[in-house]
Each structure stands twice: as structure tokens, then as C-alpha cells.
């Protein structure tokens, strides 16, 4: 756990986090049974530091090796799609998002987020959204107004 959580009260250092994540990955890779968990943690650390180009490789390898639970797998796929989008690998991001949508254990909120990312890709590649897209702040009942700041109904 010392790799994941620092000492109480000490400030966090980004370079130290990445270094410790690499050490954790190296330690886990020395096990007799390969684990994707160490690579997943490295990818998440790199992604959190804005180093998406470097995060893609570890995230892909972690998915190939397998992760302990479906929650880890879903989060790895979400992080991978986000990094691919940021790095302008829109084809890769689209494929990763499609892979997420095929999962039967994907929570409803995560499914909506995937659809949002797909629409971002459509907008970025074609400059338009599908006719079925509805802006998030559009009220379902036309007689009610959505707040322009929060999108919530008054």
C-alpha cells in the first residue's frame, strides 16, 4: 500500500507517484503469474499526470493480461479511451468505446458517459452530432425551462 498512499500529512509529488507506480509494476511483473494490475496502476498514474501518450501502452497491456475485477476493466477501458481521444487517436478511442458498450456489466451512468464521448468524436471528426442527440440541458418537458448555468430544471 505504500506505493498507492503516501504518509499522512506529506504533500504528494507527481514524479514520485509515477516512480512508485513503476516500482509496483516491476514488482508485480516478477510474480510467476503475470498481472495486469501493476500496468493498470502505472497507466492511471500517467493519465492523471496528463501523460496520456505514455499511459496508452500500459493500459492496453493491462487489459491483455487481465484485471482482478470487472470494475478495474471498465475503468481501464474508460481511461484508455480518454487518452486515445486526447492523443487524437479517434479510431482507437471509437473502438475502445464500442468495446465498453458491449459489456453487460457497464453501469447506466457509465453507458451515458460512453455515448457522450462517442458524440464528442462525431463532432470532432464531422463537425455535427447525430439527429438523435439531445443536449444535456434540454428539458424533457418543453413547458419547463432549464437553467443555462446548471442545466437543472427550476
Amino acid at each position: 500500500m505504500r506505493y498507492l498512499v503516501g504518509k499522512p500529512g506529506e504533500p504528494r509529488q507527481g514524479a514520485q507517484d509515477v516512480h512508485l507506480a513503476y516500482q509496483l509494476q516491476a514488482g508485480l511483473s516478477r510474480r510467476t503469474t503475470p498481472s495486469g494490475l501493476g500496468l493498470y496502476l502505472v497507466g492511471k498514474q500517467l493519465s492523471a499526470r496528463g501523460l496520456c501518450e505514455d499511459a496508452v501502452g500500459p493500459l492496453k497491456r493491462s487489459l491483455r493480461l487481465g484485471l482482478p475485477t470487472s470494475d478495474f476493466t471498465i475503468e481501464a477501458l474508460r481511461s484508455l479511451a480518454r487518452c486515445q481521444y486526447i492523443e487524437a487517436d479517434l479510431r482507437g478511442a471509437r473502438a475502445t468505446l464500442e468495446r465498453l458498450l458491449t459489456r453487460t456489466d457497464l453501469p447506466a451512468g457509465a453507458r451515458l458517459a460512453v455515448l457522450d464521448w462517442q458524440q464528442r468524436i462525431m463532432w470532432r471528426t464531422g463537425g455535427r452530432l447525430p439527429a438523435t442527440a439531445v443536449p444535456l440541458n434540454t428539458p424533457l418537458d418543453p413547458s419547463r425551462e432549464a437553467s443555462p448555468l446548471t442545466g437543472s430544471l427550476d
Side-chain angles (χ1 to χ4, degrees):
M1 283 305 281
R2 68 187 165 101
Y3 293 114
L4 304 176
V5 181
K7 294 179 183 174
E10 287 187 6
R12 296 190 57 133
Q13 299 177 0
Q16 181 73 5
D17 290 345
V18 173
H19 171 72
L20 293 175
Y22 273 117
Q23 285 184 331
L24 176 63
Q25 185 270 325
L28 289 172
S29 67
R30 286 191 291 269
R31 295 173 22 162
T32 56
T33 305
S35 166
L37 184 58
L39 289 164
Y40 163 79
L41 293 171
V42 169
K44 286 295 288 181
Q45 284 289 328
L46 292 169
S47 171
R49 301 289 175 233
L51 302 171
C52 282
E53 182 179 2
D54 298 325
V56 169
L59 289 169
K60 283 182 176 180
R61 287 192 303 274
S62 74
L63 289 162
R64 275 196 304 271
L65 289 172
L67 291 162
T69 67
S70 64
D71 290 337
F72 280 108
T73 302
I74 289 169
E75 186 54 34
L77 287 166
R78 290 176 63 197
S79 297
L80 176 59
R82 181 181 158 274
C83 282
Q84 289 169 321
Y85 179 85
I86 288 170
E87 292 300 315
D89 177 10
L90 301 181
R91 183 174 298 194
R94 185 178 287 125
T96 302
L97 293 168
E98 287 297 326
R99 188 172 165 192
L100 265 168
L101 283 178
T102 63
R103 297 188 63 90
T104 58
D105 56 351
L106 187 65
R111 188 169 299 282
L112 289 174
V114 168
L115 296 173
D116 176 65
W117 279 104
Q118 285 181 321
Q119 290 179 359
R120 290 173 193 235
I121 291 170
M122 290 178 76
W123 177 260
R124 197 164 168 189
T125 57
R128 58 187 166 81
L129 293 176
T132 58
V134 177
L136 292 178
N137 67 347
T138 302
L140 297 177
D141 179 358
S143 66
R144 298 179 68 191
E145 283 294 317
S147 165
L149 297 177
T150 64
S152 65
L153 297 174
D154 295 327

